[in-house]
Amino acid sequence: MKPGVVTATLLLGIAGLAQAAAPACEKTLRWNDDPPFSMRLASGAVGGVQLDVNIEALRRMGCSVKLVEMPFARALVELEHGKLDVLAGAFKRPEREAYAWFSAPVLRSRNMLYMRRGDEPHWGFQSLLELRRSAFRLGAQIGVVYGPDYAALMRDSDYARGVVKVSNRHALWQMLERGRIDGVIADELTAGFELAELKLADKVIKTQLVVSDEPAPTAFSMRSTDPAFVERYNDTIEAMRRDGSLQRIVQRYLGTAMAP
């Protein structure tokens, strides 16, 4: 065998060994207690609509998943610094597009305004923006964006200073029950789970005011993923939608389909 052939053969062999030794695709995926999207199940395992959808999609893409528990506000910081790879249910916003790629819509999430039973007629809001002309005490989660009207409300510094922001939504429900705030913004599916759990379903109700109704994409850290990976993810989610597996995951937790 000629020296050049030997050298090429050795190089190919080394390249093959390096490829075989290369780490498999592993992605970190954030979760927190936010039923039905992510939660600790009765079995002790972690599951939920968003988690199961993303775990299955990433599995089909040849990736294993490492679940990391953290609040949403911290997850955004970790995503920005590349310490978290995937954040499900993060709405696309200009400030987030500086450090994250966003998938096509996966699930639709409707945020509603909740009040104590009997209080809605007193306020009679038709739009969230009407709150800034009132003494209404609003509660919201730190780092969560609830749609364009909420963003506009937060740009009103006089009103924004009075908004009560905490990281744990359970605390907001308890504050609402005790009259320390007048309303809470929350996803209607999550709220149903939590109010039943806290035995507040008869005291706190969903009003008719829809705060936002937009599809929720998945965010990927720019530091650990590229646009091609996100396109593969989009194709995978679409395939799951076509073969019915996406709907089956939703039905597993909600009993009915949720519009994409």
Side-chain angles (χ1 to χ4, degrees):
M1 185 179 293
K2 295 180 180 180
V5 176
V6 173
T7 302
T9 303
L10 287 172
L11 289 173
L12 286 172
I14 292 170
L17 288 172
Q19 186 175 8
C25 170
E26 181 185 72
K27 295 296 182 184
T28 51
L29 172 65
R30 175 260 184 183
W31 80 279
N32 202 23
D33 188 32
D34 188 19
F37 301 111
S38 64
M39 55 190 164
R40 181 76 65 180
L41 304 177
S43 64
V46 176
V49 177
Q50 287 178 339
L51 285 189
D52 288 10
V53 167
N54 279 281
I55 290 171
E56 174 61 15
L58 291 167
R59 183 195 68 78
R60 294 187 183 196
M61 295 170 65
C63 298
S64 62
V65 174
K66 179 180 179 182
L67 295 176
V68 184
E69 183 178 11
M70 65 181 71
F72 189 83
R74 180 186 160 201
L76 289 171
V77 175
E78 298 289 280
L79 195 75
E80 181 177 5
H81 291 92
K83 297 179 180 179
L84 177 70
D85 300 317
V86 186
L87 177 57
F91 293 112
K92 184 187 293 188
R93 297 292 180 264
E95 65 275 14
R96 297 174 183 175
E97 289 183 280
Y99 56 82
W101 310 114
F102 287 85
S103 73
V106 180
L107 300 172
R108 184 172 293 279
S109 179
R110 193 167 76 152
N111 286 306
M112 307 293 292
L113 181 64
Y114 288 78
M115 297 184 194
R116 288 180 298 276
R117 183 178 294 278
D119 282 3
E120 186 178 10
H122 169 72
W123 296 105
F125 297 124
Q126 300 298 313
S127 163
L128 194 70
L129 295 177
E130 295 176 24
L131 270 63
R132 60 186 166 194
R133 298 194 300 270
S134 73
F136 190 87
R137 297 165 300 172
L138 179 65
Q141 278 185 277
I142 296 172
V144 178
V145 178
Y146 298 100
D149 283 357
Y150 177 79
L153 196 64
M154 292 304 97
R155 288 194 292 271
D156 185 330
S157 58
D158 290 337
Y159 186 85
R161 278 194 296 270
V163 175
V164 176
K165 295 182 180 181
V166 300
S167 60
N168 188 314
R169 197 169 43 252
H170 279 207
L172 289 174
W173 296 129
Q174 292 164 347
M175 293 172 70
L176 180 58
E177 179 198 16
R178 295 167 187 167
R180 293 174 58 189
I181 56 177
D182 299 311
V184 172
I185 300 174
D187 176 273
E188 60 184 331
L189 298 173
T190 300
F193 272 76
E194 291 179 344
L195 292 174
E197 181 183 29
L198 294 169
K199 296 180 171 55
L200 294 176
D202 292 334
K203 299 178 180 180
V204 175
I205 64 164
K206 177 175 64 177
T207 70
Q208 297 300 309
L209 201 160
V210 179
V211 177
S212 65
D213 182 14
E214 63 179 296
T218 297
F220 298 85
S221 174
M222 287 183 176
R223 290 182 178 267
S224 60
T225 53
D226 57 35
F229 186 90
V230 180
E231 285 303 313
R232 287 178 55 214
Y233 175 88
N234 288 339
D235 292 342
T236 303
I237 291 294
E238 185 56 35
M240 290 173 61
R241 187 173 281 114
R242 287 196 304 268
D243 67 22
S245 56
L246 185 64
Q247 183 173 336
R248 286 193 293 273
I249 290 172
V250 173
Q251 290 177 333
R252 185 184 307 159
Y253 293 96
L254 304 178
T256 184
M258 185 161 53

